[in-house]
Amino acid sequence: MSIAHPEAAIHGAHLTIDLAAIAENWRRLGAQAPHIPCAAVVKADAYGCGLVKVAPVLWRAGCRTFFVAHASEGAVARSALPAATIYVLNGLTPGSGPVLAAHALRPVLGSREELDEWAALGGEMGRPLPAALHVDTGMNRLGLTVPEALALAGDPLIQAAGIDLLMSHLVSAERPDESINRRQCEAFGDVLRAYPGIPGSLANSSGCYLGEGVANDLLRPGYAIFGGNPTPWRSNPMQPVVRLEASIAQVRDVAAGDGAGYNARWTAPGPRRLATLSIGYADGYPRSASGRGHALVGGVPCPIVGLISMDLIILDVTDAPSARRGEPAILIGDSLDVDSVGHAAGTIGYEILTGLGSRYVRRYVESID
């Protein structure tokens, strides 16, 4: 029996996160437009990889601007990054201004009400407090419409609200031939020209690969930093970051017609050998991968059979001679990158990463190899 990481004996599964790969991926993204700065989106606990661990690594790599979703995340980021510029993407929740100001966070303002509230707080403090202005160019989620943004150009409110960055979000950056990408770039360009001297940011992870027309003044990647493919139309230029392994708890032989898992949703087509892993949907491995995903045991792809339960997954390991109690099975890693795992579960790699659970031990290394 071989246990690659003995600490997994008490956790059932463990997650390895390669910090050097995170730094290298950020550099590769920035290299797509080397004449402008590259920020880092570290929302959702740095896409499940651990904000407190990841943020200082990116800072040491040269990143100076960071984006989170909520003020609570911003406060955590500030504790790890005392000198960084930190924007809060979801804007200004009513009454949250003093908390943002206390942590030197910059809200991404997306309505006249938010602008008024932030400007008023700055007035109380005797100086404009920096913030970004969110312009909606097609997503229809958050932000001022383009006509609203153009109408506010030159308004004293913009200066009073401390606007130092203009932002918008691409709708289909991962599909380079979509016409909406061009329309968004053109609309955002109109806004930038109406606000001379204020930089703009449009390029997300996939947007970094759409050319100079999208780059503007600040790249803003997130998912790709953590190993996701920003160019799904071709091979992934990013290094893998996460590796998820679970220990085999038990191996058993079943006869033809035997069922496995809740409701016997799977029945053995013949004599089969099954292995049960100490991991389930409570650990962030999606139940929707039941009967669709697979794991690697001794390098052999082994399909998931039966329904994934809260704490356990059953594999068909008939073709994996090394399968035995205590042996590790790889659920993310090697040929199973986060995008392929997401696809097999009928979702996306983003959801796989951000859903990574807390029950397994986390190991931070400089190189998985």
Side-chain angles (χ1 to χ4, degrees), residues 8 15 31 42 47 81 86 98 113 120 153 167 172 175 187 192 217-218 222 253 263 279 285 296 303 336 344 356:
L15 180 72
V42 291
Y47 287 72
L81 301 166
I86 302 172
E113 292 83 358
M167 280 182 45
S172 296
R175 299 177 179 178
L192 287 174
D217 306 295
L218 179 70
D253 294 313
N263 308 124
I279 186 174
Y285 197 88
L296 302 174
L336 295 174
L356 293 172

Short mmCIF file of all heavy atoms in Angstrom, two decimals, residues 8 15 31 42 47 81 86 98 113 120 153 167 172 175 187 192 217-218 222 253 263 279 285 296 303 336 344 356:
data_model
loop_
_atom_site.label_atom_id
_atom_site.label_comp_id
_atom_site.label_asym_id
_atom_site.label_seq_id
_atom_site.Cartn_x
_atom_site.Cartn_y
_atom_site.Cartn_z
N ALA A 8 -3.41 12.68 4.51
CA ALA A 8 -4.70 12.34 3.93
C ALA A 8 -5.39 11.23 4.72
O ALA A 8 -6.59 11.05 4.61
CB ALA A 8 -4.52 11.90 2.48
N LEU A 15 -5.98 18.57 -1.12
CA LEU A 15 -5.86 19.48 -2.25
C LEU A 15 -4.47 20.10 -2.24
O LEU A 15 -4.05 20.67 -1.23
CB LEU A 15 -6.93 20.57 -2.15
CG LEU A 15 -6.95 21.61 -3.26
CD1 LEU A 15 -7.48 21.01 -4.55
CD2 LEU A 15 -7.85 22.79 -2.85
N ALA A 31 1.73 39.20 -20.09
CA ALA A 31 2.56 39.27 -21.29
C ALA A 31 1.75 39.47 -22.56
O ALA A 31 2.31 39.81 -23.60
CB ALA A 31 3.40 38.00 -21.40
N VAL A 42 -9.29 38.16 -7.34
CA VAL A 42 -9.08 37.13 -6.32
C VAL A 42 -10.34 36.93 -5.49
O VAL A 42 -10.28 36.58 -4.31
CB VAL A 42 -7.88 37.48 -5.42
CG1 VAL A 42 -6.58 37.39 -6.19
CG2 VAL A 42 -8.02 38.89 -4.82
N TYR A 47 -10.68 32.18 -6.03
CA TYR A 47 -11.22 31.07 -6.81
C TYR A 47 -11.01 29.73 -6.11
O TYR A 47 -10.67 28.73 -6.73
CB TYR A 47 -10.61 31.05 -8.21
CG TYR A 47 -11.14 32.16 -9.09
CD1 TYR A 47 -10.76 33.49 -8.89
CD2 TYR A 47 -12.02 31.89 -10.14
CE1 TYR A 47 -11.26 34.52 -9.69
CE2 TYR A 47 -12.51 32.91 -10.94
CZ TYR A 47 -12.13 34.22 -10.71
OH TYR A 47 -12.62 35.22 -11.49
N LEU A 81 -2.50 42.36 2.09
CA LEU A 81 -1.89 43.27 1.12
C LEU A 81 -2.03 44.71 1.62
O LEU A 81 -2.85 45.48 1.15
CB LEU A 81 -2.59 43.13 -0.24
CG LEU A 81 -2.57 41.75 -0.90
CD1 LEU A 81 -3.58 41.69 -2.04
CD2 LEU A 81 -1.17 41.44 -1.42
N ILE A 86 -7.19 47.89 -4.02
CA ILE A 86 -8.18 46.82 -3.97
C ILE A 86 -9.55 47.39 -4.31
O ILE A 86 -10.05 48.29 -3.63
CB ILE A 86 -8.23 46.15 -2.58
CG1 ILE A 86 -6.86 45.59 -2.21
CG2 ILE A 86 -9.29 45.04 -2.56
CD1 ILE A 86 -6.76 45.07 -0.78
N PRO A 98 -18.55 53.41 5.20
CA PRO A 98 -17.53 53.55 6.25
C PRO A 98 -16.63 52.33 6.38
O PRO A 98 -15.44 52.46 6.67
CB PRO A 98 -18.36 53.78 7.51
CG PRO A 98 -19.63 54.42 7.02
CD PRO A 98 -19.90 53.74 5.71
N GLU A 113 -27.22 56.44 -7.40
CA GLU A 113 -27.37 56.39 -5.94
C GLU A 113 -26.04 56.04 -5.27
O GLU A 113 -25.68 56.64 -4.24
CB GLU A 113 -28.43 55.34 -5.56
CG GLU A 113 -29.85 55.69 -5.96
CD GLU A 113 -30.18 55.35 -7.40
OE1 GLU A 113 -29.27 54.85 -8.13
OE2 GLU A 113 -31.34 55.56 -7.79
N ALA A 120 -20.83 61.65 -0.91
CA ALA A 120 -21.21 62.27 0.36
C ALA A 120 -20.28 61.82 1.47
O ALA A 120 -19.88 62.62 2.34
CB ALA A 120 -22.65 61.90 0.70
N ALA A 153 -20.55 62.44 -17.92
CA ALA A 153 -19.19 62.90 -18.24
C ALA A 153 -19.09 64.40 -17.99
O ALA A 153 -19.93 65.18 -18.45
CB ALA A 153 -18.85 62.59 -19.69
N MET A 167 -14.76 50.83 -15.86
CA MET A 167 -14.77 49.38 -16.06
C MET A 167 -16.00 48.93 -16.80
O MET A 167 -17.06 49.55 -16.72
CB MET A 167 -14.78 48.67 -14.69
CG MET A 167 -13.45 48.56 -14.01
SD MET A 167 -13.67 47.63 -12.47
CE MET A 167 -14.71 46.28 -13.04
N SER A 172 -18.96 37.68 -23.83
CA SER A 172 -18.59 36.42 -24.50
C SER A 172 -17.12 36.41 -24.90
O SER A 172 -16.77 36.03 -26.03
CB SER A 172 -19.47 36.19 -25.74
OG SER A 172 -20.82 36.02 -25.37
N ARG A 175 -15.50 33.46 -26.59
CA ARG A 175 -15.91 33.18 -27.98
C ARG A 175 -15.45 34.34 -28.85
O ARG A 175 -16.19 35.31 -29.05
CB ARG A 175 -17.42 32.99 -28.06
CG ARG A 175 -17.93 31.84 -27.21
CD ARG A 175 -19.44 31.74 -27.26
NE ARG A 175 -19.93 30.62 -26.47
CZ ARG A 175 -21.21 30.32 -26.30
NH1 ARG A 175 -22.14 31.06 -26.90
NH2 ARG A 175 -21.56 29.27 -25.57
N ALA A 187 -18.53 50.54 -27.68
CA ALA A 187 -19.29 51.32 -26.71
C ALA A 187 -18.40 51.79 -25.57
O ALA A 187 -18.49 52.95 -25.12
CB ALA A 187 -20.45 50.48 -26.17
N LEU A 192 -14.76 55.93 -22.75
CA LEU A 192 -13.40 56.34 -22.40
C LEU A 192 -13.07 57.71 -22.98
O LEU A 192 -12.44 58.55 -22.31
CB LEU A 192 -12.39 55.30 -22.89
CG LEU A 192 -12.32 53.97 -22.14
CD1 LEU A 192 -11.38 53.01 -22.84
CD2 LEU A 192 -11.89 54.19 -20.70
N ASP A 217 -6.34 49.96 -20.52
CA ASP A 217 -5.27 50.44 -19.63
C ASP A 217 -4.96 49.51 -18.47
O ASP A 217 -4.01 49.76 -17.72
CB ASP A 217 -5.65 51.81 -19.07
CG ASP A 217 -6.00 52.81 -20.16
OD1 ASP A 217 -5.09 53.15 -20.94
OD2 ASP A 217 -7.18 53.22 -20.25
N LEU A 218 -5.75 48.47 -18.29
CA LEU A 218 -5.52 47.56 -17.17
C LEU A 218 -6.16 46.21 -17.49
O LEU A 218 -7.37 46.11 -17.69
CB LEU A 218 -6.16 48.12 -15.88
CG LEU A 218 -6.02 47.26 -14.62
CD1 LEU A 218 -4.57 47.25 -14.13
CD2 LEU A 218 -6.94 47.78 -13.51
N GLY A 222 -8.84 36.66 -13.95
CA GLY A 222 -9.13 35.95 -12.70
C GLY A 222 -8.96 34.46 -12.87
O GLY A 222 -7.94 33.88 -12.52
N ASP A 253 -15.61 -6.66 -4.79
CA ASP A 253 -16.02 -7.28 -6.05
C ASP A 253 -17.54 -7.42 -6.04
O ASP A 253 -18.14 -7.79 -5.02
CB ASP A 253 -15.36 -8.65 -6.22
CG ASP A 253 -13.86 -8.53 -6.37
OD1 ASP A 253 -13.42 -7.68 -7.16
OD2 ASP A 253 -13.13 -9.28 -5.69
N ASN A 263 -30.34 4.28 -4.53
CA ASN A 263 -31.35 3.96 -5.53
C ASN A 263 -30.85 3.01 -6.62
O ASN A 263 -31.54 2.80 -7.62
CB ASN A 263 -31.92 5.23 -6.19
CG ASN A 263 -32.41 6.25 -5.17
OD1 ASN A 263 -31.95 7.40 -5.17
ND2 ASN A 263 -33.30 5.84 -4.30
N ILE A 279 -14.60 10.98 -0.29
CA ILE A 279 -14.87 12.34 -0.74
C ILE A 279 -16.27 12.35 -1.35
O ILE A 279 -16.74 11.32 -1.86
CB ILE A 279 -13.83 12.82 -1.77
CG1 ILE A 279 -14.02 14.29 -2.14
CG2 ILE A 279 -13.85 11.94 -3.02
CD1 ILE A 279 -12.93 14.85 -3.04
N TYR A 285 -17.14 18.26 -4.62
CA TYR A 285 -17.13 17.51 -5.87
C TYR A 285 -18.58 17.31 -6.29
O TYR A 285 -19.36 16.69 -5.57
CB TYR A 285 -16.41 16.17 -5.73
CG TYR A 285 -16.04 15.59 -7.08
CD1 TYR A 285 -14.84 15.93 -7.68
CD2 TYR A 285 -16.91 14.77 -7.78
CE1 TYR A 285 -14.50 15.45 -8.94
CE2 TYR A 285 -16.59 14.28 -9.03
CZ TYR A 285 -15.38 14.63 -9.60
OH TYR A 285 -15.06 14.15 -10.86
N LEU A 296 -8.57 9.05 -11.75
CA LEU A 296 -7.41 8.28 -12.20
C LEU A 296 -6.86 7.48 -11.02
O LEU A 296 -6.54 8.05 -9.97
CB LEU A 296 -6.33 9.21 -12.74
CG LEU A 296 -6.72 10.13 -13.90
CD1 LEU A 296 -5.59 11.09 -14.22
CD2 LEU A 296 -7.08 9.31 -15.14
N PRO A 303 -14.32 5.14 -14.22
CA PRO A 303 -15.57 5.90 -14.20
C PRO A 303 -16.23 5.93 -12.84
O PRO A 303 -16.15 4.96 -12.06
CB PRO A 303 -16.44 5.16 -15.22
CG PRO A 303 -15.88 3.79 -15.29
CD PRO A 303 -14.40 3.92 -15.04
N LEU A 336 -6.92 15.35 -15.96
CA LEU A 336 -8.22 15.85 -15.49
C LEU A 336 -8.07 17.29 -15.01
O LEU A 336 -7.95 17.56 -13.81
CB LEU A 336 -8.74 14.96 -14.35
CG LEU A 336 -9.09 13.52 -14.71
CD1 LEU A 336 -9.45 12.74 -13.46
CD2 LEU A 336 -10.22 13.49 -15.72
N ALA A 344 -17.51 17.39 -17.57
CA ALA A 344 -18.07 16.07 -17.27
C ALA A 344 -19.23 16.17 -16.27
O ALA A 344 -20.13 15.33 -16.28
CB ALA A 344 -16.98 15.15 -16.71
N LEU A 356 -14.59 24.23 -4.13
CA LEU A 356 -13.68 23.33 -3.41
C LEU A 356 -13.93 23.42 -1.91
O LEU A 356 -13.95 24.51 -1.33
CB LEU A 356 -12.22 23.69 -3.73
CG LEU A 356 -11.79 23.43 -5.17
CD1 LEU A 356 -10.39 23.99 -5.43
CD2 LEU A 356 -11.83 21.94 -5.50
#
